Amino acid sequence: LDLTNATSPTRIGTFAANSGTYLFDTELISSTHAAVSSFAGTLIYSISTPASATLVSTIGNNHYRIATQGGYAFISASGGADPVVRILNLVTPTSPIEAGTLAFDGPSLDVHVGGGQMLVANGQRGLVVLNAVNPLAPMFAGRVEFPDDYINVVERVNGVAAVGTYGKVALVDTSNPAVPSLIANIDAGSQFVGDLVASGNRLYVAAGAGGVLLFDVTTPASPQTVWQWMPPIGLAQRVALDGNLAY
């Protein structure tokens, strides 16, 4: 989409995929290439000509959420069927390489890399924290479980982990990764939290029928509601930021 005029975005092109291939997530890996996760694995497209994005390579299968850092992608498995985080070397987009995998109990539904840690949304097993000082060789450090909750998204805001589940966001202190601890819960309505995006000390929450919520996490032990936006139709499933605009 061309967002030059944010009040009237226009479609430039599309990512073409085989019939029946469901596309889950996308991340820019450079100014000329994008990675798209799908049942058919991670698809790499050249977007140097946005009107005619071209598939240049594929790798793996059943890939779900993507996090990128320094030419590498960290992939959670599709639908939790395969409890593995896969590390892909995308430095050469036309020849991606699987650089490693991580396996642990429970599903891997979302992954965040930064601050020397890897955070994994682990479904009914809660939040997994890994030491990722070397992100290509992360090591299990600790876990925190949330009885009766299913953790499906993860983000980091103001130095703490934020994890989403049904109707709430939990803020978790991972400064001692061996013993991560709950700081606070944020009420997110009556829907599964579909996405979390941080900007500075603020956390944007896609909360389905609850719309998009914005919280101030300057003091993680006492997060404050800033505003709530309700879409006129449909559900708020994902959110993305660009400057002072949220999409």
Side-chain angles (χ1 to χ4, degrees), residues 105-214:
D105 293 339
S108 56
L109 298 171
D110 194 16
V111 60
H112 179 276
V113 181
Q117 294 182 342
M118 179 182 292
L119 307 174
V120 181
N122 198 208
Q124 69 275 15
R125 296 300 311 277
L127 170 69
V128 171
V129 182
L130 300 107
N131 182 324
V133 173
N134 177 0
L136 300 185
M139 300 177 62
F140 181 88
R143 177 197 304 273
V144 58
E145 298 189 11
F146 303 84
D148 302 320
D149 285 330
Y150 192 85
I151 304 303
N152 65 310
V153 290
V154 62
E155 173 66 294
R156 185 176 289 280
V157 57
N158 193 20
V160 303
V163 297
T165 182
Y166 190 87
K168 70 179 180 183
V169 176
L171 300 179
V172 179
D173 181 357
T174 63
S175 58
N176 180 355
V179 190
S181 58
L182 178 66
I183 301 171
N185 285 315
I186 301 174
D187 184 3
S190 60
Q191 295 279 321
F192 255 115
V193 171
D195 202 13
L196 300 170
V197 177
S199 177
N201 293 338
R202 294 194 165 190
L203 182 67
Y204 295 77
V205 180
V212 177
L213 308 172
L214 175 60

Side-chain angles (χ1 to χ4, degrees), residues 50-64:
S52 56
T54 304
L55 181 66
V56 296
S57 63
T58 64
I59 184 170
N61 59 76
N62 286 335
H63 292 176
Y64 186 41

Side-chain angles (χ1 to χ4, degrees), residues 203-237:
L203 182 67
Y204 295 77
V205 180
V212 177
L213 308 172
L214 175 60
F215 297 97
D216 185 332
V217 192
T218 300
T219 304
S222 181
Q224 302 295 313
T225 302
V226 178
W227 52 248
Q228 178 181 22
W229 175 80
M230 298 294 294
I233 59 173
L235 305 176
Q237 296 181 324

